[in-house]
Short mmCIF file of all heavy atoms in Angstrom, two decimals:
data_model
loop_
_atom_site.label_atom_id
_atom_site.label_comp_id
_atom_site.label_asym_id
_atom_site.label_seq_id
_atom_site.Cartn_x
_atom_site.Cartn_y
_atom_site.Cartn_z
N LEU A 1 119.22 112.00 95.25
CA LEU A 1 119.89 113.18 95.76
C LEU A 1 120.18 114.17 94.64
O LEU A 1 119.88 115.36 94.73
CB LEU A 1 121.20 112.78 96.45
CG LEU A 1 122.13 113.93 96.89
CD1 LEU A 1 121.49 114.73 98.01
CD2 LEU A 1 123.48 113.37 97.33
N PHE A 2 120.75 113.68 93.55
CA PHE A 2 121.13 114.55 92.45
C PHE A 2 119.98 114.87 91.50
O PHE A 2 120.10 115.75 90.64
CB PHE A 2 122.30 113.94 91.67
CG PHE A 2 123.59 113.94 92.43
CD1 PHE A 2 124.25 112.76 92.71
CD2 PHE A 2 124.15 115.12 92.89
CE1 PHE A 2 125.44 112.75 93.42
CE2 PHE A 2 125.34 115.13 93.61
CZ PHE A 2 125.99 113.93 93.87
N MET A 3 118.86 114.16 91.64
CA MET A 3 117.69 114.42 90.80
C MET A 3 116.61 115.18 91.56
O MET A 3 115.45 115.21 91.14
CB MET A 3 117.12 113.10 90.28
CG MET A 3 118.06 112.33 89.37
SD MET A 3 118.34 113.14 87.77
CE MET A 3 116.83 112.67 86.93
N ASP A 4 116.98 115.80 92.66
CA ASP A 4 115.97 116.49 93.46
C ASP A 4 115.46 117.77 92.79
O ASP A 4 114.54 118.42 93.29
CB ASP A 4 116.49 116.80 94.87
CG ASP A 4 117.73 117.71 94.88
OD1 ASP A 4 118.18 118.14 93.78
OD2 ASP A 4 118.25 117.99 95.97
N ASN A 5 116.04 118.12 91.65
CA ASN A 5 115.54 119.28 90.89
C ASN A 5 114.46 118.88 89.89
O ASN A 5 113.88 119.74 89.22
CB ASN A 5 116.69 119.97 90.15
CG ASN A 5 117.35 119.04 89.12
OD1 ASN A 5 117.41 117.84 89.32
ND2 ASN A 5 117.85 119.62 88.04
N ILE A 6 114.18 117.58 89.78
CA ILE A 6 113.14 117.12 88.86
C ILE A 6 111.77 117.27 89.52
O ILE A 6 111.54 116.69 90.59
CB ILE A 6 113.35 115.64 88.46
CG1 ILE A 6 114.70 115.46 87.78
CG2 ILE A 6 112.21 115.15 87.58
CD1 ILE A 6 114.82 116.18 86.46
N PRO A 7 110.87 118.04 88.93
CA PRO A 7 109.54 118.25 89.54
C PRO A 7 108.60 117.07 89.23
O PRO A 7 107.70 117.17 88.40
CB PRO A 7 109.07 119.54 88.88
CG PRO A 7 109.72 119.53 87.52
CD PRO A 7 111.05 118.84 87.71
N TYR A 8 108.83 115.96 89.90
CA TYR A 8 108.08 114.74 89.58
C TYR A 8 106.57 114.93 89.71
O TYR A 8 105.80 114.38 88.92
CB TYR A 8 108.53 113.59 90.49
CG TYR A 8 109.84 112.98 90.09
CD1 TYR A 8 110.99 113.17 90.87
CD2 TYR A 8 109.95 112.19 88.95
CE1 TYR A 8 112.21 112.60 90.52
CE2 TYR A 8 111.17 111.62 88.59
CZ TYR A 8 112.29 111.83 89.38
OH TYR A 8 113.49 111.27 89.02
N GLU A 9 106.15 115.70 90.70
CA GLU A 9 104.70 115.90 90.88
C GLU A 9 104.11 116.63 89.68
O GLU A 9 103.03 116.27 89.20
CB GLU A 9 104.42 116.65 92.18
CG GLU A 9 104.73 115.82 93.43
CD GLU A 9 104.23 116.48 94.69
OE1 GLU A 9 103.59 117.55 94.59
OE2 GLU A 9 104.46 115.91 95.78
N GLU A 10 104.81 117.64 89.20
CA GLU A 10 104.35 118.37 88.01
C GLU A 10 104.34 117.45 86.79
O GLU A 10 103.39 117.45 86.00
CB GLU A 10 105.26 119.57 87.76
CG GLU A 10 104.90 120.38 86.53
CD GLU A 10 105.88 121.51 86.28
OE1 GLU A 10 106.52 121.98 87.25
OE2 GLU A 10 106.02 121.94 85.12
N TRP A 11 105.39 116.65 86.65
CA TRP A 11 105.46 115.72 85.52
C TRP A 11 104.34 114.70 85.60
O TRP A 11 103.75 114.33 84.58
CB TRP A 11 106.82 115.02 85.51
CG TRP A 11 107.97 115.89 85.08
CD1 TRP A 11 108.01 117.26 85.08
CD2 TRP A 11 109.24 115.45 84.61
NE1 TRP A 11 109.24 117.70 84.64
CE2 TRP A 11 110.01 116.62 84.35
CE3 TRP A 11 109.81 114.21 84.40
CZ2 TRP A 11 111.32 116.55 83.88
CZ3 TRP A 11 111.12 114.14 83.94
CH2 TRP A 11 111.86 115.29 83.67
N SER A 12 104.06 114.21 86.80
CA SER A 12 103.01 113.20 86.95
C SER A 12 101.65 113.78 86.60
O SER A 12 100.82 113.10 85.99
CB SER A 12 103.00 112.63 88.37
OG SER A 12 102.54 113.59 89.32
N ARG A 13 101.40 115.04 86.95
CA ARG A 13 100.11 115.66 86.60
C ARG A 13 99.95 115.73 85.08
O ARG A 13 98.85 115.54 84.55
CB ARG A 13 100.00 117.06 87.23
CG ARG A 13 99.79 117.02 88.74
CD ARG A 13 99.36 118.38 89.27
NE ARG A 13 100.41 119.38 89.13
CZ ARG A 13 101.32 119.64 90.06
NH1 ARG A 13 101.32 118.97 91.20
NH2 ARG A 13 102.23 120.58 89.86
N TYR A 14 101.04 116.03 84.41
CA TYR A 14 101.00 116.09 82.94
C TYR A 14 100.70 114.71 82.35
O TYR A 14 99.85 114.57 81.46
CB TYR A 14 102.35 116.61 82.43
CG TYR A 14 102.46 116.72 80.93
CD1 TYR A 14 101.74 117.68 80.22
CD2 TYR A 14 103.30 115.87 80.22
CE1 TYR A 14 101.86 117.79 78.83
CE2 TYR A 14 103.43 115.97 78.84
CZ TYR A 14 102.71 116.94 78.16
OH TYR A 14 102.83 117.03 76.79
N VAL A 15 101.38 113.68 82.84
CA VAL A 15 101.15 112.32 82.37
C VAL A 15 99.71 111.90 82.64
O VAL A 15 99.03 111.33 81.77
CB VAL A 15 102.14 111.34 83.05
CG1 VAL A 15 101.74 109.89 82.80
CG2 VAL A 15 103.56 111.59 82.55
N ILE A 16 99.23 112.18 83.85
CA ILE A 16 97.86 111.81 84.22
C ILE A 16 96.84 112.53 83.34
O ILE A 16 95.84 111.94 82.91
CB ILE A 16 97.62 112.11 85.72
CG1 ILE A 16 98.46 111.16 86.57
CG2 ILE A 16 96.15 112.01 86.07
CD1 ILE A 16 98.59 111.59 88.02
N GLU A 17 97.10 113.79 83.04
CA GLU A 17 96.18 114.55 82.18
C GLU A 17 96.13 113.96 80.77
O GLU A 17 95.05 113.80 80.19
CB GLU A 17 96.59 116.01 82.13
CG GLU A 17 95.66 116.86 81.27
CD GLU A 17 96.03 118.34 81.25
OE1 GLU A 17 96.95 118.74 82.01
OE2 GLU A 17 95.41 119.08 80.48
N LEU A 18 97.31 113.63 80.22
CA LEU A 18 97.33 113.07 78.88
C LEU A 18 96.66 111.69 78.84
O LEU A 18 95.92 111.38 77.90
CB LEU A 18 98.76 112.97 78.37
CG LEU A 18 99.47 114.28 78.04
CD1 LEU A 18 100.87 114.02 77.48
CD2 LEU A 18 98.67 115.12 77.05
N LEU A 19 96.89 110.88 79.85
CA LEU A 19 96.23 109.58 79.90
C LEU A 19 94.72 109.76 80.06
O LEU A 19 93.92 109.06 79.41
CB LEU A 19 96.77 108.75 81.07
CG LEU A 19 98.21 108.25 80.94
CD1 LEU A 19 98.61 107.48 82.20
CD2 LEU A 19 98.40 107.37 79.71
N GLY A 20 94.33 110.72 80.89
CA GLY A 20 92.90 110.97 81.11
C GLY A 20 92.19 111.40 79.85
O GLY A 20 91.03 111.02 79.61
N ARG A 21 92.88 112.19 79.02
CA ARG A 21 92.27 112.63 77.77
C ARG A 21 92.03 111.46 76.81
O ARG A 21 91.22 111.56 75.88
CB ARG A 21 93.15 113.68 77.09
CG ARG A 21 93.15 115.04 77.81
CD ARG A 21 94.02 116.02 77.08
NE ARG A 21 94.03 117.31 77.74
CZ ARG A 21 93.17 118.28 77.51
NH1 ARG A 21 92.21 118.09 76.61
NH2 ARG A 21 93.25 119.43 78.16
N GLN A 22 92.74 110.35 77.05
CA GLN A 22 92.54 109.14 76.26
C GLN A 22 91.60 108.16 76.97
O GLN A 22 91.48 107.00 76.56
CB GLN A 22 93.89 108.47 75.97
CG GLN A 22 94.86 109.33 75.19
CD GLN A 22 94.33 109.73 73.84
OE1 GLN A 22 93.73 108.92 73.13
NE2 GLN A 22 94.56 110.99 73.45
N GLY A 23 90.96 108.63 78.04
CA GLY A 23 90.00 107.81 78.77
C GLY A 23 90.61 106.84 79.75
O GLY A 23 89.92 105.94 80.26
N ILE A 24 91.89 107.00 80.06
CA ILE A 24 92.57 106.09 80.99
C ILE A 24 92.77 106.81 82.32
O ILE A 24 93.73 107.58 82.49
CB ILE A 24 93.90 105.60 80.40
CG1 ILE A 24 93.65 104.87 79.08
CG2 ILE A 24 94.62 104.67 81.39
CD1 ILE A 24 94.89 104.42 78.37
N ARG A 25 91.86 106.56 83.24
CA ARG A 25 91.90 107.21 84.55
C ARG A 25 92.08 106.21 85.68
O ARG A 25 92.14 106.60 86.86
CB ARG A 25 90.62 108.03 84.76
CG ARG A 25 90.46 109.15 83.72
CD ARG A 25 89.17 109.92 83.90
NE ARG A 25 89.09 111.01 82.93
CZ ARG A 25 88.65 110.87 81.68
NH1 ARG A 25 88.21 109.68 81.26
NH2 ARG A 25 88.63 111.90 80.84
N GLU A 26 92.15 104.94 85.33
CA GLU A 26 92.36 103.87 86.32
C GLU A 26 92.84 102.63 85.56
O GLU A 26 92.98 102.65 84.33
CB GLU A 26 91.05 103.55 87.05
CG GLU A 26 89.93 103.11 86.14
CD GLU A 26 88.64 102.87 86.87
OE1 GLU A 26 88.60 103.11 88.09
OE2 GLU A 26 87.67 102.42 86.24
N GLY A 27 93.09 101.55 86.30
CA GLY A 27 93.49 100.30 85.68
C GLY A 27 94.99 100.09 85.69
O GLY A 27 95.75 100.88 86.25
N LEU A 28 95.41 98.98 85.07
CA LEU A 28 96.81 98.60 85.05
C LEU A 28 97.63 99.51 84.13
O LEU A 28 97.27 99.71 82.97
CB LEU A 28 96.97 97.16 84.58
CG LEU A 28 96.78 96.06 85.63
CD1 LEU A 28 96.75 94.70 84.94
CD2 LEU A 28 97.90 96.10 86.65
N VAL A 29 98.73 100.02 84.66
CA VAL A 29 99.66 100.85 83.90
C VAL A 29 101.07 100.35 84.16
O VAL A 29 101.45 100.11 85.32
CB VAL A 29 99.54 102.34 84.27
CG1 VAL A 29 100.64 103.16 83.60
CG2 VAL A 29 98.17 102.88 83.90
N LEU A 30 101.84 100.18 83.12
CA LEU A 30 103.23 99.75 83.21
C LEU A 30 104.14 100.94 83.01
O LEU A 30 103.97 101.70 82.06
CB LEU A 30 103.52 98.69 82.15
CG LEU A 30 104.98 98.33 81.89
CD1 LEU A 30 105.58 97.62 83.09
CD2 LEU A 30 105.11 97.47 80.64
N GLU A 31 105.13 101.09 83.89
CA GLU A 31 106.18 102.09 83.67
C GLU A 31 107.47 101.40 83.31
O GLU A 31 108.01 100.60 84.10
CB GLU A 31 106.39 102.97 84.90
CG GLU A 31 107.43 104.06 84.64
CD GLU A 31 107.74 104.95 85.81
OE1 GLU A 31 107.20 104.73 86.91
OE2 GLU A 31 108.56 105.88 85.62
N LEU A 32 108.00 101.69 82.13
CA LEU A 32 109.27 101.16 81.69
C LEU A 32 110.40 102.09 82.11
O LEU A 32 110.31 103.30 81.92
CB LEU A 32 109.29 101.00 80.17
CG LEU A 32 108.41 99.91 79.56
CD1 LEU A 32 108.51 99.95 78.04
CD2 LEU A 32 108.78 98.54 80.09
#
């Protein structure tokens, strides 16, 4: 409720782009 101002979709695109630039576009990923 209080974190509804966090643009998670935008953040996820950034994370996915950075991972993709390192050749990681699939496979096991751990989120801490």
